Amino acid sequence: MSKAKPFVSDIEAIRKRARQDIDKGAMTAGYKADRGTVVKLLNHALATEIVCVLRYKYHYYMASGIHAQAIKQEFLQHANEEQGHADQIAERITQLDGKPDLSPEGLLTRSHSDYVEGEDIVDMIKEDLVAERIAIDSYREMIDYVGGADPTTRRVLESILAMEEEHAEDMNTLLEQLGKKGEPAKPAPAHGGRAEGKKGGRKRG
């Protein structure tokens, strides 16, 4: 049997450190991660979430078709949840004595996911699924990097990751459901004039 590890803390040293650099707020001398790198990673995550909000919002307003109404609501819900993630990340950046980068300039460069509008509702769902899959892998890598050096940031990232996994599953389910309902009506892209097929099966009287 392994010996229990005793918890030993020099409370006087902690009290002394807490009074030093008091203007740093939550940032104390006990912080073990590379703060600059963590803030940079979080700003990339922030840009990714903002791009996801914009893409989901565009899809919400532009989705059309016989099955669109329920899917539009899913897009809107995801947009709102991604905005919540952005707020969480921005808040954590400020706690780390950093500045959330909300500048539109370079937004797509900082973002890990792309902004792709999609031609129809099926394309929209596919692009959202791709973006969620990118976000999932990105958050996993960030969590691995942070490790135990910054448990608060790790928890924030883990909670967002769990939601992104739900979003990906939602989009995958929508694709499966549309497939059963006969979507997409437009044929797969092919060389040679099949453009008329894009509208052919969608018009229902």
Side-chain angles (χ1 to χ4, degrees), residues 149-188:
D150 183 345
T152 303
T153 296
R154 183 186 177 98
R155 283 195 300 272
V156 169
L157 295 174
E158 285 174 338
S159 69
I160 294 173
L161 171 61
M163 186 73 77
E164 303 297 4
E165 289 174 338
E166 284 184 29
H167 287 179
E169 191 58 35
D170 290 342
M171 293 297 103
N172 192 51
T173 300
L174 286 177
L175 278 178
E176 289 176 354
Q177 290 173 347
L178 285 180
K180 289 172 186 173
K181 292 172 182 173
E183 297 275 2
K186 78 167 191 176

PDB file of all heavy atoms in Angstrom, residues 149-188:
ATOM      1  N   ALA A 149      -0.977  22.847 -15.149  1.00  0.00           N
ATOM      2  CA  ALA A 149      -0.326  24.118 -14.801  1.00  0.00           C
ATOM      3  C   ALA A 149      -1.322  25.254 -14.595  1.00  0.00           C
ATOM      4  O   ALA A 149      -1.024  26.230 -13.913  1.00  0.00           O
ATOM      5  CB  ALA A 149       0.678  24.503 -15.893  1.00  0.00           C
ATOM      6  N   ASP A 150      -2.514  25.138 -15.198  1.00  0.00           N
ATOM      7  CA  ASP A 150      -3.539  26.175 -15.067  1.00  0.00           C
ATOM      8  C   ASP A 150      -4.906  25.482 -15.010  1.00  0.00           C
ATOM      9  O   ASP A 150      -5.611  25.391 -16.010  1.00  0.00           O
ATOM     10  CB  ASP A 150      -3.469  27.139 -16.256  1.00  0.00           C
ATOM     11  CG  ASP A 150      -4.463  28.291 -16.148  1.00  0.00           C
ATOM     12  OD1 ASP A 150      -5.389  28.200 -15.329  1.00  0.00           O
ATOM     13  OD2 ASP A 150      -4.317  29.273 -16.902  1.00  0.00           O
ATOM     14  N   PRO A 151      -5.280  24.967 -13.840  1.00  0.00           N
ATOM     15  CA  PRO A 151      -6.514  24.179 -13.727  1.00  0.00           C
ATOM     16  C   PRO A 151      -7.783  24.964 -14.065  1.00  0.00           C
ATOM     17  O   PRO A 151      -8.743  24.394 -14.577  1.00  0.00           O
ATOM     18  CB  PRO A 151      -6.523  23.710 -12.269  1.00  0.00           C
ATOM     19  CG  PRO A 151      -5.522  24.559 -11.563  1.00  0.00           C
ATOM     20  CD  PRO A 151      -4.530  25.001 -12.566  1.00  0.00           C
ATOM     21  N   THR A 152      -7.787  26.270 -13.815  1.00  0.00           N
ATOM     22  CA  THR A 152      -8.989  27.065 -14.106  1.00  0.00           C
ATOM     23  C   THR A 152      -9.212  27.165 -15.607  1.00  0.00           C
ATOM     24  O   THR A 152     -10.321  26.939 -16.108  1.00  0.00           O
ATOM     25  CB  THR A 152      -8.866  28.474 -13.494  1.00  0.00           C
ATOM     26  OG1 THR A 152      -8.634  28.354 -12.095  1.00  0.00           O
ATOM     27  CG2 THR A 152     -10.148  29.268 -13.722  1.00  0.00           C
ATOM     28  N   THR A 153      -8.130  27.502 -16.347  1.00  0.00           N
ATOM     29  CA  THR A 153      -8.248  27.563 -17.810  1.00  0.00           C
ATOM     30  C   THR A 153      -8.609  26.187 -18.363  1.00  0.00           C
ATOM     31  O   THR A 153      -9.431  26.073 -19.277  1.00  0.00           O
ATOM     32  CB  THR A 153      -6.929  28.053 -18.441  1.00  0.00           C
ATOM     33  OG1 THR A 153      -6.687  29.401 -18.005  1.00  0.00           O
ATOM     34  CG2 THR A 153      -6.989  28.020 -19.961  1.00  0.00           C
ATOM     35  N   ARG A 154      -8.020  25.155 -17.803  1.00  0.00           N
ATOM     36  CA  ARG A 154      -8.315  23.789 -18.258  1.00  0.00           C
ATOM     37  C   ARG A 154      -9.803  23.485 -18.108  1.00  0.00           C
ATOM     38  O   ARG A 154     -10.423  22.945 -19.020  1.00  0.00           O
ATOM     39  CB  ARG A 154      -7.474  22.780 -17.478  1.00  0.00           C
ATOM     40  CG  ARG A 154      -7.679  21.344 -17.962  1.00  0.00           C
ATOM     41  CD  ARG A 154      -6.942  20.331 -17.084  1.00  0.00           C
ATOM     42  NE  ARG A 154      -7.232  18.993 -17.544  1.00  0.00           N
ATOM     43  CZ  ARG A 154      -6.452  18.279 -18.345  1.00  0.00           C
ATOM     44  NH1 ARG A 154      -5.319  18.799 -18.780  1.00  0.00           N
ATOM     45  NH2 ARG A 154      -6.792  17.065 -18.707  1.00  0.00           N
ATOM     46  N   ARG A 155     -10.381  23.847 -16.966  1.00  0.00           N
ATOM     47  CA  ARG A 155     -11.817  23.578 -16.745  1.00  0.00           C
ATOM     48  C   ARG A 155     -12.678  24.351 -17.736  1.00  0.00           C
ATOM     49  O   ARG A 155     -13.674  23.826 -18.246  1.00  0.00           O
ATOM     50  CB  ARG A 155     -12.213  23.934 -15.307  1.00  0.00           C
ATOM     51  CG  ARG A 155     -11.795  22.904 -14.278  1.00  0.00           C
ATOM     52  CD  ARG A 155     -12.510  23.103 -12.958  1.00  0.00           C
ATOM     53  NE  ARG A 155     -12.228  24.408 -12.376  1.00  0.00           N
ATOM     54  CZ  ARG A 155     -11.199  24.659 -11.571  1.00  0.00           C
ATOM     55  NH1 ARG A 155     -10.342  23.701 -11.271  1.00  0.00           N
ATOM     56  NH2 ARG A 155     -11.009  25.864 -11.070  1.00  0.00           N
ATOM     57  N   VAL A 156     -12.312  25.610 -18.012  1.00  0.00           N
ATOM     58  CA  VAL A 156     -13.054  26.412 -18.990  1.00  0.00           C
ATOM     59  C   VAL A 156     -13.023  25.717 -20.358  1.00  0.00           C
ATOM     60  O   VAL A 156     -14.056  25.551 -21.020  1.00  0.00           O
ATOM     61  CB  VAL A 156     -12.470  27.839 -19.105  1.00  0.00           C
ATOM     62  CG1 VAL A 156     -13.070  28.578 -20.297  1.00  0.00           C
ATOM     63  CG2 VAL A 156     -12.717  28.623 -17.815  1.00  0.00           C
ATOM     64  N   LEU A 157     -11.821  25.296 -20.769  1.00  0.00           N
ATOM     65  CA  LEU A 157     -11.666  24.654 -22.075  1.00  0.00           C
ATOM     66  C   LEU A 157     -12.408  23.316 -22.125  1.00  0.00           C
ATOM     67  O   LEU A 157     -13.009  22.968 -23.151  1.00  0.00           O
ATOM     68  CB  LEU A 157     -10.188  24.449 -22.389  1.00  0.00           C
ATOM     69  CG  LEU A 157      -9.351  25.727 -22.562  1.00  0.00           C
ATOM     70  CD1 LEU A 157      -7.871  25.384 -22.719  1.00  0.00           C
ATOM     71  CD2 LEU A 157      -9.834  26.555 -23.740  1.00  0.00           C
ATOM     72  N   GLU A 158     -12.365  22.574 -21.039  1.00  0.00           N
ATOM     73  CA  GLU A 158     -13.047  21.269 -21.005  1.00  0.00           C
ATOM     74  C   GLU A 158     -14.560  21.426 -21.111  1.00  0.00           C
ATOM     75  O   GLU A 158     -15.230  20.637 -21.788  1.00  0.00           O
ATOM     76  CB  GLU A 158     -12.674  20.513 -19.730  1.00  0.00           C
ATOM     77  CG  GLU A 158     -11.276  19.923 -19.762  1.00  0.00           C
ATOM     78  CD  GLU A 158     -10.854  19.292 -18.452  1.00  0.00           C
ATOM     79  OE1 GLU A 158     -11.422  19.643 -17.392  1.00  0.00           O
ATOM     80  OE2 GLU A 158      -9.925  18.455 -18.470  1.00  0.00           O
ATOM     81  N   SER A 159     -15.104  22.452 -20.462  1.00  0.00           N
ATOM     82  CA  SER A 159     -16.556  22.667 -20.530  1.00  0.00           C
ATOM     83  C   SER A 159     -16.965  23.078 -21.944  1.00  0.00           C
ATOM     84  O   SER A 159     -18.003  22.640 -22.458  1.00  0.00           O
ATOM     85  CB  SER A 159     -16.998  23.729 -19.514  1.00  0.00           C
ATOM     86  OG  SER A 159     -16.535  25.019 -19.882  1.00  0.00           O
ATOM     87  N   ILE A 160     -16.138  23.891 -22.601  1.00  0.00           N
ATOM     88  CA  ILE A 160     -16.433  24.296 -23.979  1.00  0.00           C
ATOM     89  C   ILE A 160     -16.300  23.101 -24.919  1.00  0.00           C
ATOM     90  O   ILE A 160     -17.132  22.895 -25.817  1.00  0.00           O
ATOM     91  CB  ILE A 160     -15.512  25.453 -24.418  1.00  0.00           C
ATOM     92  CG1 ILE A 160     -15.816  26.713 -23.594  1.00  0.00           C
ATOM     93  CG2 ILE A 160     -15.670  25.744 -25.911  1.00  0.00           C
ATOM     94  CD1 ILE A 160     -14.856  27.863 -23.833  1.00  0.00           C
ATOM     95  N   LEU A 161     -15.267  22.297 -24.721  1.00  0.00           N
ATOM     96  CA  LEU A 161     -15.071  21.099 -25.542  1.00  0.00           C
ATOM     97  C   LEU A 161     -16.290  20.187 -25.489  1.00  0.00           C
ATOM     98  O   LEU A 161     -16.752  19.684 -26.530  1.00  0.00           O
ATOM     99  CB  LEU A 161     -13.824  20.337 -25.078  1.00  0.00           C
ATOM    100  CG  LEU A 161     -13.605  18.947 -25.697  1.00  0.00           C
ATOM    101  CD1 LEU A 161     -13.450  19.031 -27.204  1.00  0.00           C
ATOM    102  CD2 LEU A 161     -12.387  18.267 -25.062  1.00  0.00           C
ATOM    103  N   ALA A 162     -16.819  19.985 -24.289  1.00  0.00           N
ATOM    104  CA  ALA A 162     -17.996  19.112 -24.141  1.00  0.00           C
ATOM    105  C   ALA A 162     -19.170  19.640 -24.966  1.00  0.00           C
ATOM    106  O   ALA A 162     -19.887  18.869 -25.617  1.00  0.00           O
ATOM    107  CB  ALA A 162     -18.382  19.004 -22.668  1.00  0.00           C
ATOM    108  N   MET A 163     -19.352  20.962 -24.970  1.00  0.00           N
ATOM    109  CA  MET A 163     -20.441  21.561 -25.745  1.00  0.00           C
ATOM    110  C   MET A 163     -20.187  21.447 -27.245  1.00  0.00           C
ATOM    111  O   MET A 163     -21.112  21.194 -28.018  1.00  0.00           O
ATOM    112  CB  MET A 163     -20.606  23.031 -25.352  1.00  0.00           C
ATOM    113  CG  MET A 163     -21.796  23.709 -25.991  1.00  0.00           C
ATOM    114  SD  MET A 163     -23.382  23.186 -25.312  1.00  0.00           S
ATOM    115  CE  MET A 163     -23.384  24.101 -23.772  1.00  0.00           C
ATOM    116  N   GLU A 164     -18.932  21.610 -27.660  1.00  0.00           N
ATOM    117  CA  GLU A 164     -18.614  21.489 -29.085  1.00  0.00           C
ATOM    118  C   GLU A 164     -18.880  20.061 -29.575  1.00  0.00           C
ATOM    119  O   GLU A 164     -19.325  19.849 -30.709  1.00  0.00           O
ATOM    120  CB  GLU A 164     -17.153  21.875 -29.365  1.00  0.00           C
ATOM    121  CG  GLU A 164     -16.741  23.272 -28.925  1.00  0.00           C
ATOM    122  CD  GLU A 164     -17.492  24.390 -29.635  1.00  0.00           C
ATOM    123  OE1 GLU A 164     -18.407  24.114 -30.424  1.00  0.00           O
ATOM    124  OE2 GLU A 164     -17.161  25.556 -29.397  1.00  0.00           O
ATOM    125  N   GLU A 165     -18.609  19.092 -28.731  1.00  0.00           N
ATOM    126  CA  GLU A 165     -18.892  17.705 -29.090  1.00  0.00           C
ATOM    127  C   GLU A 165     -20.394  17.491 -29.261  1.00  0.00           C
ATOM    128  O   GLU A 165     -20.840  16.775 -30.175  1.00  0.00           O
ATOM    129  CB  GLU A 165     -18.315  16.755 -28.043  1.00  0.00           C
ATOM    130  CG  GLU A 165     -16.794  16.693 -28.077  1.00  0.00           C
ATOM    131  CD  GLU A 165     -16.183  15.866 -26.970  1.00  0.00           C
ATOM    132  OE1 GLU A 165     -16.851  15.674 -25.927  1.00  0.00           O
ATOM    133  OE2 GLU A 165     -15.041  15.419 -27.113  1.00  0.00           O
ATOM    134  N   GLU A 166     -21.181  18.128 -28.403  1.00  0.00           N
ATOM    135  CA  GLU A 166     -22.646  18.063 -28.557  1.00  0.00           C
ATOM    136  C   GLU A 166     -23.091  18.709 -29.861  1.00  0.00           C
ATOM    137  O   GLU A 166     -23.950  18.185 -30.566  1.00  0.00           O
ATOM    138  CB  GLU A 166     -23.334  18.771 -27.378  1.00  0.00           C
ATOM    139  CG  GLU A 166     -23.330  17.993 -26.086  1.00  0.00           C
ATOM    140  CD  GLU A 166     -24.105  18.710 -24.994  1.00  0.00           C
ATOM    141  OE1 GLU A 166     -25.059  19.453 -25.328  1.00  0.00           O
ATOM    142  OE2 GLU A 166     -23.746  18.554 -23.822  1.00  0.00           O
ATOM    143  N   HIS A 167     -22.499  19.859 -30.180  1.00  0.00           N
ATOM    144  CA  HIS A 167     -22.838  20.552 -31.429  1.00  0.00           C
ATOM    145  C   HIS A 167     -22.536  19.681 -32.641  1.00  0.00           C
ATOM    146  O   HIS A 167     -23.335  19.614 -33.584  1.00  0.00           O
ATOM    147  CB  HIS A 167     -22.039  21.862 -31.540  1.00  0.00           C
ATOM    148  CG  HIS A 167     -22.527  22.932 -30.613  1.00  0.00           C
ATOM    149  ND1 HIS A 167     -21.933  24.186 -30.541  1.00  0.00           N
ATOM    150  CD2 HIS A 167     -23.541  22.951 -29.721  1.00  0.00           C
ATOM    151  CE1 HIS A 167     -22.572  24.912 -29.648  1.00  0.00           C
ATOM    152  NE2 HIS A 167     -23.548  24.189 -29.129  1.00  0.00           N
ATOM    153  N   ALA A 168     -21.372  19.028 -32.625  1.00  0.00           N
ATOM    154  CA  ALA A 168     -21.000  18.166 -33.750  1.00  0.00           C
ATOM    155  C   ALA A 168     -22.002  17.026 -33.896  1.00  0.00           C
ATOM    156  O   ALA A 168     -22.416  16.676 -35.011  1.00  0.00           O
ATOM    157  CB  ALA A 168     -19.588  17.617 -33.549  1.00  0.00           C
ATOM    158  N   GLU A 169     -22.411  16.464 -32.776  1.00  0.00           N
ATOM    159  CA  GLU A 169     -23.389  15.368 -32.817  1.00  0.00           C
ATOM    160  C   GLU A 169     -24.730  15.874 -33.340  1.00  0.00           C
ATOM    161  O   GLU A 169     -25.406  15.186 -34.115  1.00  0.00           O
ATOM    162  CB  GLU A 169     -23.553  14.767 -31.413  1.00  0.00           C
ATOM    163  CG  GLU A 169     -24.337  13.467 -31.378  1.00  0.00           C
ATOM    164  CD  GLU A 169     -23.718  12.372 -32.242  1.00  0.00           C
ATOM    165  OE1 GLU A 169     -22.490  12.298 -32.332  1.00  0.00           O
ATOM    166  OE2 GLU A 169     -24.498  11.601 -32.846  1.00  0.00           O
ATOM    167  N   ASP A 170     -25.116  17.089 -32.937  1.00  0.00           N
ATOM    168  CA  ASP A 170     -26.361  17.691 -33.436  1.00  0.00           C
ATOM    169  C   ASP A 170     -26.332  17.838 -34.958  1.00  0.00           C
ATOM    170  O   ASP A 170     -27.297  17.511 -35.648  1.00  0.00           O
ATOM    171  CB  ASP A 170     -26.583  19.080 -32.811  1.00  0.00           C
ATOM    172  CG  ASP A 170     -26.916  19.015 -31.334  1.00  0.00           C
ATOM    173  OD1 ASP A 170     -27.315  17.929 -30.856  1.00  0.00           O
ATOM    174  OD2 ASP A 170     -26.776  20.055 -30.661  1.00  0.00           O
ATOM    175  N   MET A 171     -25.221  18.364 -35.477  1.00  0.00           N
ATOM    176  CA  MET A 171     -25.106  18.575 -36.923  1.00  0.00           C
ATOM    177  C   MET A 171     -25.105  17.240 -37.674  1.00  0.00           C
ATOM    178  O   MET A 171     -25.718  17.112 -38.736  1.00  0.00           O
ATOM    179  CB  MET A 171     -23.834  19.360 -37.252  1.00  0.00           C
ATOM    180  CG  MET A 171     -23.825  20.807 -36.760  1.00  0.00           C
ATOM    181  SD  MET A 171     -25.114  21.845 -37.519  1.00  0.00           S
ATOM    182  CE  MET A 171     -26.307  21.929 -36.177  1.00  0.00           C
ATOM    183  N   ASN A 172     -24.440  16.247 -37.116  1.00  0.00           N
ATOM    184  CA  ASN A 172     -24.405  14.931 -37.746  1.00  0.00           C
ATOM    185  C   ASN A 172     -25.799  14.315 -37.792  1.00  0.00           C
ATOM    186  O   ASN A 172     -26.207  13.728 -38.804  1.00  0.00           O
ATOM    187  CB  ASN A 172     -23.444  14.017 -36.978  1.00  0.00           C
ATOM    188  CG  ASN A 172     -23.139  12.743 -37.736  1.00  0.00           C
ATOM    189  OD1 ASN A 172     -22.768  12.782 -38.907  1.00  0.00           O
ATOM    190  ND2 ASN A 172     -23.309  11.607 -37.095  1.00  0.00           N
ATOM    191  N   THR A 173     -26.550  14.488 -36.711  1.00  0.00           N
ATOM    192  CA  THR A 173     -27.920  13.969 -36.655  1.00  0.00           C
ATOM    193  C   THR A 173     -28.806  14.663 -37.688  1.00  0.00           C
ATOM    194  O   THR A 173     -29.618  14.014 -38.358  1.00  0.00           O
ATOM    195  CB  THR A 173     -28.517  14.171 -35.238  1.00  0.00           C
ATOM    196  OG1 THR A 173     -27.704  13.464 -34.294  1.00  0.00           O
ATOM    197  CG2 THR A 173     -29.941  13.648 -35.164  1.00  0.00           C
ATOM    198  N   LEU A 174     -28.642  15.990 -37.833  1.00  0.00           N
ATOM    199  CA  LEU A 174     -29.426  16.727 -38.825  1.00  0.00           C
ATOM    200  C   LEU A 174     -29.130  16.231 -40.232  1.00  0.00           C
ATOM    201  O   LEU A 174     -30.051  16.075 -41.044  1.00  0.00           O
ATOM    202  CB  LEU A 174     -29.123  18.229 -38.731  1.00  0.00           C
ATOM    203  CG  LEU A 174     -29.718  18.981 -37.545  1.00  0.00           C
ATOM    204  CD1 LEU A 174     -29.265  20.436 -37.565  1.00  0.00           C
ATOM    205  CD2 LEU A 174     -31.238  18.907 -37.536  1.00  0.00           C
ATOM    206  N   LEU A 175     -27.867  15.960 -40.519  1.00  0.00           N
ATOM    207  CA  LEU A 175     -27.511  15.442 -41.848  1.00  0.00           C
ATOM    208  C   LEU A 175     -28.169  14.090 -42.105  1.00  0.00           C
ATOM    209  O   LEU A 175     -28.692  13.832 -43.186  1.00  0.00           O
ATOM    210  CB  LEU A 175     -25.990  15.302 -41.967  1.00  0.00           C
ATOM    211  CG  LEU A 175     -25.194  16.553 -42.314  1.00  0.00           C
ATOM    212  CD1 LEU A 175     -23.705  16.238 -42.340  1.00  0.00           C
ATOM    213  CD2 LEU A 175     -25.638  17.156 -43.636  1.00  0.00           C
ATOM    214  N   GLU A 176     -28.162  13.241 -41.091  1.00  0.00           N
ATOM    215  CA  GLU A 176     -28.780  11.919 -41.244  1.00  0.00           C
ATOM    216  C   GLU A 176     -30.284  12.054 -41.460  1.00  0.00           C
ATOM    217  O   GLU A 176     -30.871  11.366 -42.308  1.00  0.00           O
ATOM    218  CB  GLU A 176     -28.507  11.073 -40.002  1.00  0.00           C
ATOM    219  CG  GLU A 176     -27.055  10.627 -39.884  1.00  0.00           C
ATOM    220  CD  GLU A 176     -26.783   9.876 -38.593  1.00  0.00           C
ATOM    221  OE1 GLU A 176     -27.694   9.811 -37.740  1.00  0.00           O
ATOM    222  OE2 GLU A 176     -25.664   9.358 -38.437  1.00  0.00           O
ATOM    223  N   GLN A 177     -30.916  12.954 -40.703  1.00  0.00           N
ATOM    224  CA  GLN A 177     -32.367  13.144 -40.834  1.00  0.00           C
ATOM    225  C   GLN A 177     -32.733  13.696 -42.209  1.00  0.00           C
ATOM    226  O   GLN A 177     -33.708  13.263 -42.819  1.00  0.00           O
ATOM    227  CB  GLN A 177     -32.870  14.077 -39.732  1.00  0.00           C
ATOM    228  CG  GLN A 177     -32.831  13.449 -38.353  1.00  0.00           C
ATOM    229  CD  GLN A 177     -33.170  14.436 -37.262  1.00  0.00           C
ATOM    230  OE1 GLN A 177     -33.209  15.647 -37.470  1.00  0.00           O
ATOM    231  NE2 GLN A 177     -33.419  13.930 -36.060  1.00  0.00           N
ATOM    232  N   LEU A 178     -31.944  14.660 -42.709  1.00  0.00           N
ATOM    233  CA  LEU A 178     -32.223  15.222 -44.026  1.00  0.00           C
ATOM    234  C   LEU A 178     -32.024  14.174 -45.116  1.00  0.00           C
ATOM    235  O   LEU A 178     -32.739  14.173 -46.121  1.00  0.00           O
ATOM    236  CB  LEU A 178     -31.324  16.438 -44.290  1.00  0.00           C
ATOM    237  CG  LEU A 178     -31.714  17.722 -43.546  1.00  0.00           C
ATOM    238  CD1 LEU A 178     -30.753  18.841 -43.898  1.00  0.00           C
ATOM    239  CD2 LEU A 178     -33.134  18.146 -43.866  1.00  0.00           C
ATOM    240  N   GLY A 179     -31.058  13.292 -44.918  1.00  0.00           N
ATOM    241  CA  GLY A 179     -30.847  12.221 -45.877  1.00  0.00           C
ATOM    242  C   GLY A 179     -32.062  11.322 -45.984  1.00  0.00           C
ATOM    243  O   GLY A 179     -32.479  10.923 -47.078  1.00  0.00           O
ATOM    244  N   LYS A 180     -32.698  11.052 -44.851  1.00  0.00           N
ATOM    245  CA  LYS A 180     -33.895  10.212 -44.845  1.00  0.00           C
ATOM    246  C   LYS A 180     -35.086  10.931 -45.480  1.00  0.00           C
ATOM    247  O   LYS A 180     -36.015  10.306 -45.981  1.00  0.00           O
ATOM    248  CB  LYS A 180     -34.244   9.814 -43.412  1.00  0.00           C
ATOM    249  CG  LYS A 180     -33.266   8.814 -42.811  1.00  0.00           C
ATOM    250  CD  LYS A 180     -33.526   8.594 -41.333  1.00  0.00           C
ATOM    251  CE  LYS A 180     -32.453   7.704 -40.718  1.00  0.00           C
ATOM    252  NZ  LYS A 180     -32.578   7.612 -39.262  1.00  0.00           N
ATOM    253  N   LYS A 181     -35.060  12.263 -45.441  1.00  0.00           N
ATOM    254  CA  LYS A 181     -36.162  13.045 -46.015  1.00  0.00           C
ATOM    255  C   LYS A 181     -35.913  13.388 -47.483  1.00  0.00           C
ATOM    256  O   LYS A 181     -36.669  14.139 -48.089  1.00  0.00           O
ATOM    257  CB  LYS A 181     -36.358  14.343 -45.219  1.00  0.00           C
ATOM    258  CG  LYS A 181     -36.884  14.097 -43.806  1.00  0.00           C
ATOM    259  CD  LYS A 181     -36.876  15.391 -42.999  1.00  0.00           C
ATOM    260  CE  LYS A 181     -37.358  15.131 -41.571  1.00  0.00           C
ATOM    261  NZ  LYS A 181     -37.214  16.320 -40.722  1.00  0.00           N
ATOM    262  N   GLY A 182     -34.837  12.875 -48.036  1.00  0.00           N
ATOM    263  CA  GLY A 182     -34.584  13.100 -49.459  1.00  0.00           C
ATOM    264  C   GLY A 182     -33.736  14.300 -49.769  1.00  0.00           C
ATOM    265  O   GLY A 182     -33.595  14.687 -50.924  1.00  0.00           O
ATOM    266  N   GLU A 183     -33.150  14.955 -48.765  1.00  0.00           N
ATOM    267  CA  GLU A 183     -32.241  16.066 -49.015  1.00  0.00           C
ATOM    268  C   GLU A 183     -30.830  15.503 -49.179  1.00  0.00           C
ATOM    269  O   GLU A 183     -30.507  14.490 -48.579  1.00  0.00           O
ATOM    270  CB  GLU A 183     -32.262  17.049 -47.833  1.00  0.00           C
ATOM    271  CG  GLU A 183     -33.608  17.715 -47.609  1.00  0.00           C
ATOM    272  CD  GLU A 183     -33.789  18.946 -48.469  1.00  0.00           C
ATOM    273  OE1 GLU A 183     -32.881  19.263 -49.262  1.00  0.00           O
ATOM    274  OE2 GLU A 183     -34.821  19.590 -48.361  1.00  0.00           O
ATOM    275  N   PRO A 184     -29.917  16.117 -49.912  1.00  0.00           N
ATOM    276  CA  PRO A 184     -30.165  17.327 -50.680  1.00  0.00           C
ATOM    277  C   PRO A 184     -30.823  17.016 -52.015  1.00  0.00           C
ATOM    278  O   PRO A 184     -30.615  15.966 -52.593  1.00  0.00           O
ATOM    279  CB  PRO A 184     -28.755  17.888 -50.914  1.00  0.00           C
ATOM    280  CG  PRO A 184     -27.895  16.669 -50.949  1.00  0.00           C
ATOM    281  CD  PRO A 184     -28.517  15.682 -49.995  1.00  0.00           C
ATOM    282  N   ALA A 185     -31.636  17.945 -52.475  1.00  0.00           N
ATOM    283  CA  ALA A 185     -32.316  17.762 -53.751  1.00  0.00           C
ATOM    284  C   ALA A 185     -31.356  18.018 -54.906  1.00  0.00           C
ATOM    285  O   ALA A 185     -31.509  17.473 -55.971  1.00  0.00           O
ATOM    286  CB  ALA A 185     -33.502  18.705 -53.848  1.00  0.00           C
ATOM    287  N   LYS A 186     -30.348  18.893 -54.663  1.00  0.00           N
ATOM    288  CA  LYS A 186     -29.420  19.181 -55.761  1.00  0.00           C
ATOM    289  C   LYS A 186     -28.433  18.028 -55.884  1.00  0.00           C
ATOM    290  O   LYS A 186     -28.071  17.399 -54.890  1.00  0.00           O
ATOM    291  CB  LYS A 186     -28.704  20.495 -55.527  1.00  0.00           C
ATOM    292  CG  LYS A 186     -27.571  20.428 -54.527  1.00  0.00           C
ATOM    293  CD  LYS A 186     -26.743  21.688 -54.611  1.00  0.00           C
ATOM    294  CE  LYS A 186     -25.454  21.493 -53.816  1.00  0.00           C
ATOM    295  NZ  LYS A 186     -24.571  22.624 -53.928  1.00  0.00           N
ATOM    296  N   PRO A 187     -27.996  17.707 -57.091  1.00  0.00           N
ATOM    297  CA  PRO A 187     -27.049  16.612 -57.278  1.00  0.00           C
ATOM    298  C   PRO A 187     -25.669  16.987 -56.785  1.00  0.00           C
ATOM    299  O   PRO A 187     -25.376  18.160 -56.573  1.00  0.00           O
ATOM    300  CB  PRO A 187     -27.037  16.413 -58.796  1.00  0.00           C
ATOM    301  CG  PRO A 187     -27.388  17.760 -59.339  1.00  0.00           C
ATOM    302  CD  PRO A 187     -28.341  18.377 -58.350  1.00  0.00           C
ATOM    303  N   ALA A 188     -24.824  15.994 -56.598  1.00  0.00           N
ATOM    304  CA  ALA A 188     -23.437  16.266 -56.232  1.00  0.00           C
ATOM    305  C   ALA A 188     -22.775  17.028 -57.368  1.00  0.00           C
ATOM    306  O   ALA A 188     -23.117  16.827 -58.533  1.00  0.00           O
ATOM    307  CB  ALA A 188     -22.711  14.951 -55.981  1.00  0.00           C
TER     308      ALA A 188
END
